[in-house]
Amino acid sequence: MPGTKLPTENELANKYGVSRLTVRKAKGKLIAEGLIHSIQGSGSYLTKPEMWKLHPFTIESIDDILNLGKEMAFKIHEFRMVPNNEEISKKLKNPQDRFIFQIIGVRYFQGQPISYVHYHLPFALGSRIPVEQLNADPFIPQFENLAGIQVAEGEQSISSGRANRTVAKNLGIRQGSPILIMETLYFDHQGQPIEFIKARYREEFRYNIRVTRRKMGSTAIPGIFAGT
């Protein structure tokens, strides 16, 4: 039944009198077909129904993103201080910081790994967050509570890519598999960037975005060409 843990590769090889390579190839095909999934350090499991395929999430606001996070669990792999770099400093607008705080981990939905995530926090913010108090709940409310900040708005870019070895291992997919890459930048009420997230999702993940016009009438909306 879904969620059942499978025997190890050695156990399967011994049981059926085949090599581990044969077992590994067969397991790779089953993973590619979505019939089983692997969790790093735990093993392989029969896949549960992927509900995000059947009922895509709808995003209209930051609150919807937080509610989406409540449907998932997050496992922290590391939380540490790392050197700042050009890409991150441009996002966080903090070239003065020699170091930033980085959180790396995996989001799970119904027990299945769905995204491999990097959180990047400015030094002043990250240094106020005790890692031992973080849990699997959505991080934004935790950051707001522990660091005394408040998220006011965010922007997100979406692109496609291929899973490298690390991403593939953590998501239980083949290296080179298509993935969805989401980069999200959150700001406080002063417009200061306070968190940059880069998440790599399995290609099956889907969500809808619903938008509304800020101003009705014949006058063009600022930043949008009339007639668009």
Side-chain angles (χ1 to χ4, degrees), residues 10 42 96 102-103 137 182 187 217 220:
N10 281 334
S42 179
Q96 73 282 358
Q102 176 177 267
I103 302 174
D137 294 333
M182 294 187 187
F187 303 84

Side-chain angles (χ1 to χ4, degrees), residues 166-180:
T166 301
V167 173
K169 183 178 181 180
N170 280 280
L171 296 185
I173 58 178
R174 285 185 174 182
Q175 184 174 345
S177 296
I179 56 173
L180 191 66

Side-chain angles (χ1 to χ4, degrees), residues 79 101 122-131 133 143 145-149:
F79 182 8
F101 281 86
F123 183 85
L125 190 159
S127 60
R128 301 202 300 268
I129 298 176
V131 63
Q133 293 188 31
F143 291 162
N145 180 51
L146 295 172
I149 60 170

Side-chain angles (χ1 to χ4, degrees), residues 86-154:
E86 184 177 359
E87 177 192 8
I88 303 303
S89 65
K90 284 183 177 179
K91 296 288 186 180
L92 296 178
K93 297 181 181 179
N94 65 335
Q96 73 282 358
D97 288 345
R98 292 182 56 198
F99 297 93
I100 60 169
F101 281 86
Q102 176 177 267
I103 302 174
I104 299 177
V106 176
R107 286 195 187 114
Y108 293 86
F109 182 79
Q110 296 186 345
Q112 299 179 57
I114 187 173
S115 64
Y116 182 62
V117 190
H118 285 66
Y119 290 84
H120 305 91
L121 307 172
F123 183 85
L125 190 159
S127 60
R128 301 202 300 268
I129 298 176
V131 63
E132 66 275 5
Q133 293 188 31
L134 292 176
N135 55 46
D137 294 333
F139 273 175
I140 291 179
Q142 294 188 71
F143 291 162
E144 290 180 324
N145 180 51
L146 295 172
I149 60 170
Q150 187 173 25
V151 172
E153 61 179 330

Side-chain angles (χ1 to χ4, degrees), residues 31-85:
I31 290 174
E33 294 174 4
L35 299 176
I36 66 173
H37 66 279
S38 296
I39 298 178
Q40 184 181 15
S42 179
S44 298
Y45 299 81
L46 293 179
T47 297
K48 297 178 182 179
E50 295 173 333
M51 297 304 294
W52 66 79
K53 289 183 179 179
L54 304 177
H55 305 287
F57 303 100
T58 298
I59 304 298
E60 298 183 45
S61 67
I62 290 179
D63 293 324
D64 291 329
I65 295 177
L66 296 182
N67 289 330
L68 172 60
K70 292 178 182 178
E71 301 290 329
M72 303 181 187
F74 187 80
K75 181 179 180 181
I76 298 176
H77 288 186
E78 65 176 57
F79 182 8
R80 63 191 178 102
M81 187 171 61
V82 298
N84 200 0
N85 60 47

Side-chain angles (χ1 to χ4, degrees), residues 214 219-226 228:
R214 292 183 179 177
T219 304
I221 302 173
I224 301 179
F225 292 105
T228 299

